[in-house]
Amino acid sequence: MKIRLKIFLVVLPLIILTLILAQTASFFSATLGVTRLAQQFLSFKMGGLENFAENQWTLLVENGFAGRPDMVEAAKRAVETYAASILLSDTEIIFAVDTGGNIAMSSPPFEISEAELAALLALLEAENPGLQSAAIGGHVRTFQSAFFTPFQWHLIISEKSEVFYQDANSIRMQTIITLIVSIIITVILLIVLTGHLTRPLDKVVKTMDKIITSADLTSRVDVEYQDETGNLAFTFNRMLEELDKAYRQIKKYAFESALAGKKEERIRQIFQKYVPNDVIERFFASPEKMLVGENRKLAVLFSDIRSFTTISETMAPDDLVNSLNRYFSTQVETIYSRKGVVDKYIGDAIMAFWGAPTRHEDDALQSVLSALDMLDGAAKFNENQKKLGKSPFYIGIGINYGEVTVGNIGSDRKMDYTVIGDAVNLASRMEGLTKTYHCDLLISEFLYLELKKTPPSAAAAAAASPLYFRLIDTVTVKGKTQGVKVYTVKRALSAGEKNLWTLHGQGMELYYRRDFSGAAQKFKEASSLMPEDFNAKNMHERCLAYSANPPPENWDGAEVMTSK
């Protein structure tokens, strides 16, 4: 093969590739700009239509005509008239679809088949705020929609797709023509230039052909002439030396890059099976710390919305989902801000843990502070719900501390980074007991004892004020034979609560010493301070019952729970 042809075959693809890349970049830039302007104009028109409809509804409401069907129908017809006034082309259609799937208004009128209407309704129910396309009236149309609640209308502004994108299509055609012309001119120029450059190389063709044939970069061209051809041979030899060095370096880099790429790909494949995502980011930079199953002590939290089934029956599905999303966003952010990890959502419940994948000396304390923050966040959430006229979410939270198995659990197709074990089950039972004892937050004695061991420095850094604990009871949860003390926690107590909690603690000491009469008196005093306090009243009634009928001698003070 002639050198001239080789140069031609080497240079031409590079030039063509450069032209294609440049023209492609220009095409996409121009197309995106034109499409963006068209979309913005469509959005502007939709905003105007919505504002006009809103103004019509406001007039009805302000004049007390919102309940008159004739006035409402007149307002709808005004919206239809306005829609007709903002049409800019013969192919543009502005119409509305009501929640029953009927065409409520149209400017201008058009025919739509049942299949087209069904497909359109499916897109509208998805509530996509951006541009969409669908078959409407026998044509593929690009449209933007918005839901106007007072009329229960899906407002739609549509244009034939070929009209909507005609400027972008025109740019594409111009780009193709320009590219073809550029390539033709480039080929002509390249033929002329290569012929001019290669004519002086006839005397060195054999040597260069040897090098090309052998593909041996250590070969060199004999310099036979002291002219431009000789200079070319000398430069060619220099180039071969540099190419040889570069080739060896490229092979080295390619090998290292292949290894690094394989390693990174494998890491991503493994970590993509884990939840939550922050675990991926935290350990991606250190593959040697890949998560494996292990036993360690963690704080495990369960949070549940009380009477959620009843709430869900009183709310529309979209309102319920929206409320849940806002509730979860607040609670999950609280957990992560306190160094926790959200394990999973169990319906309306949240499961979280502290102490994995990274341990902190105050994990137990952070779990309690997070629970208190979650209660505060739920209170703020409920204030907003009441303002919106929505049902509030009242929650119960249970926390336990103990040894669990933590790591990647699952199969090759789906894996979770999660925790399992008796300590997890006990945490779930703690949350269930919040209903029994009318408390928003309950913790186990294992967590209570761990909190007492929290280093002072960590406690001071994590809590600006001390925590107050109240021993509620000793229970034997379902599935267990050994009793566990249950505490509730607060950040601050009123003067009445401080006195009540003190008397309640004294009563619990007498209760466990089987002095039921003395304990009953303490609980009675506590109940008199705050008659609405369930646990003081509950323990008072229990002590009276035990005073009349004492428990057996092997009684350990635990109440056996028969349900979860």
Side-chain angles (χ1 to χ4, degrees), residues 36 48 95 101 107 113 164 202 268 280 333 352 421 459 482 486 489 495:
R36 188 183 301 111
F95 62 101
S107 295
S113 68
F164 186 83
D202 291 338
R268 287 192 178 276
I280 300 175
E333 182 61 29
Q482 186 176 0
V486 180
V489 188

Side-chain angles (χ1 to χ4, degrees), residues 511 514 516 545-547 549-557:
Y511 172 77
R514 299 178 67 95
F516 300 118
Y546 279 161
S547 295
N549 297 292
E553 291 298 323
N554 63 350
W555 176 75
D556 61 356

Side-chain angles (χ1 to χ4, degrees), residues 291-333:
L291 303 172
V292 295
E294 63 174 325
N295 292 333
R296 66 164 68 178
K297 288 189 174 182
L298 303 178
V300 183
L301 176 148
F302 281 84
S303 170
D304 187 58
I305 301 174
R306 293 173 178 170
S307 303
F308 182 75
T309 301
T310 303
I311 294 173
S312 64
E313 292 173 351
T314 62
M315 297 178 68
D318 55 341
D319 285 343
L320 181 63
V321 171
N322 182 51
S323 296
L324 270 178
N325 288 340
R326 289 187 290 107
Y327 165 78
F328 281 138
S329 296
T330 301
Q331 303 296 57
V332 170
E333 182 61 29

Side-chain angles (χ1 to χ4, degrees), residues 16-136:
I16 291 176
L17 178 60
T18 302
L19 289 172
I20 291 175
L21 292 176
Q23 291 294 327
T24 301
S26 298
F27 164 71
F28 280 113
S29 177
T31 300
L32 290 175
V34 170
T35 304
R36 188 183 301 111
L37 288 174
Q39 181 179 358
Q40 289 174 349
F41 183 70
L42 199 62
S43 299
F44 176 79
K45 292 181 67 176
M46 176 58 73
L49 183 59
E50 286 185 279
N51 288 336
F52 185 85
E54 186 64 36
N55 290 336
Q56 291 298 309
W57 180 253
T58 300
L59 289 174
L60 292 178
V61 173
E62 290 178 347
N63 292 282
F65 296 139
R68 289 182 52 181
D70 57 330
M71 298 302 293
V72 173
E73 185 63 24
K76 291 180 178 179
R77 297 286 73 80
V79 173
E80 184 174 12
T81 302
Y82 177 80
S85 70
I86 61 174
L87 292 172
L88 296 180
S89 70
D90 295 334
T91 57
E92 187 177 13
I93 298 177
I94 301 177
F95 62 101
V97 180
D98 61 24
T99 54
N102 301 310
I103 302 299
M105 70 92 174
S106 173
S107 295
F110 69 101
E111 297 290 333
I112 184 170
S113 68
E114 294 183 358
E116 290 177 342
L117 185 58
L120 178 61
L121 286 173
L123 290 175
L124 294 176
E125 290 173 357
E127 297 184 356
N128 187 345
L131 289 178
Q132 300 182 78
S133 295
I136 300 174

Side-chain angles (χ1 to χ4, degrees), residues 195-476:
H196 177 74
L197 292 174
T198 57
R199 279 195 300 270
L201 300 178
D202 291 338
K203 294 183 179 179
V204 293
V205 167
K206 291 183 179 179
T207 304
M208 294 180 67
D209 183 65
K210 177 182 177 182
I211 295 174
I212 295 171
T213 303
S214 63
D216 181 11
L217 293 176
T218 61
S219 301
R220 297 294 179 266
V221 176
D222 294 331
V223 180
E224 300 180 358
Y225 306 102
Q226 300 298 318
D227 55 13
E228 291 81 3
T229 305
N231 291 334
L232 179 62
F234 176 78
T235 303
F236 186 77
N237 289 336
R238 292 285 303 275
M239 180 186 68
L240 288 176
E241 293 174 1
E242 296 301 322
L243 285 175
D244 190 40
K245 293 178 183 179
Y247 181 65
R248 289 195 298 267
Q249 193 66 34
I250 289 171
K251 287 196 296 184
K252 178 183 177 182
Y253 288 156
F255 179 76
E256 293 175 351
S257 177
L259 289 181
K262 290 290 185 182
K263 187 176 182 181
E264 179 177 336
E265 181 181 359
R266 179 58 178 163
I267 291 171
R268 287 192 178 276
Q269 288 176 351
I270 293 174
F271 270 96
Q272 284 172 355
K273 300 175 183 177
Y274 292 92
V275 176
N277 289 332
D278 66 333
V279 175
I280 300 175
E281 299 300 329
R282 190 177 303 172
F283 287 98
F284 186 77
S286 302
E288 67 278 2
K289 294 182 179 179
M290 293 296 290
L291 303 172
V292 295
E294 63 174 325
N295 292 333
R296 66 164 68 178
K297 288 189 174 182
L298 303 178
V300 183
L301 176 148
F302 281 84
S303 170
D304 187 58
I305 301 174
R306 293 173 178 170
S307 303
F308 182 75
T309 301
T310 303
I311 294 173
S312 64
E313 292 173 351
T314 62
M315 297 178 68
D318 55 341
D319 285 343
L320 181 63
V321 171
N322 182 51
S323 296
L324 270 178
N325 288 340
R326 289 187 290 107
Y327 165 78
F328 281 138
S329 296
T330 301
Q331 303 296 57
V332 170
E333 182 61 29
T334 297
I335 292 170
Y336 279 113
S337 68
R338 290 288 186 180
K339 309 174 189 176
V341 171
V342 174
D343 184 295
K344 61 176 67 71
Y345 302 112
I346 309 170
D348 58 292
I350 298 174
M351 175 182 171
F353 54 84
W354 284 256
T358 303
R359 292 187 180 94
H360 305 92
E361 61 179 2
D362 62 341
D363 284 323
L365 178 60
Q366 290 294 341
S367 68
V368 175
L369 294 177
S370 180
L372 294 171
D373 290 343
M374 290 170 70
L375 292 173
D376 293 340
K380 294 180 181 178
F381 170 82
N382 287 334
E383 290 178 2
N384 188 49
Q385 284 289 93
K386 291 178 181 178
K387 292 179 181 178
L388 297 173
K390 311 297 182 185
S391 299
F393 290 175
Y394 297 106
I395 65 173
I397 301 175
I399 317 176
N400 182 38
Y401 187 89
E403 187 173 81
V404 301
T405 299
V406 56
N408 50 322
I409 297 173
S411 67
D412 289 338
R413 295 182 65 87
K414 178 68 172 71
M415 303 188 78
D416 282 328
Y417 181 71
T418 187
V419 295
I420 57 174
D422 285 339
V424 179
N425 298 331
L426 183 56
S428 177
R429 300 292 188 271
M430 290 294 105
E431 184 279 319
L433 290 174
T434 59
K435 305 181 187 72
T436 302
Y437 290 101
H438 298 198
C439 293
D440 294 331
L441 170 61
L442 288 178
I443 67 172
S444 69
E445 67 173 306
F446 306 111
L447 178 58
Y448 174 81
L449 295 175
E450 183 64 23
L451 289 170
K452 295 302 181 181
K453 296 190 296 184
T454 301
S457 60
S465 60
L467 298 177
Y468 297 90
F469 300 88
R470 179 185 183 186
L471 176 59
I472 297 297
D473 203 353
T474 300
V475 298
T476 302

Side-chain angles (χ1 to χ4, degrees), residues 158-172:
S158 71
E159 177 63 275
K160 286 184 178 180
S161 293
E162 63 266 22
V163 175
F164 186 83
Y165 293 108
Q166 64 182 0
D167 290 334
N169 294 333
S170 176
I171 292 173
R172 180 171 62 248

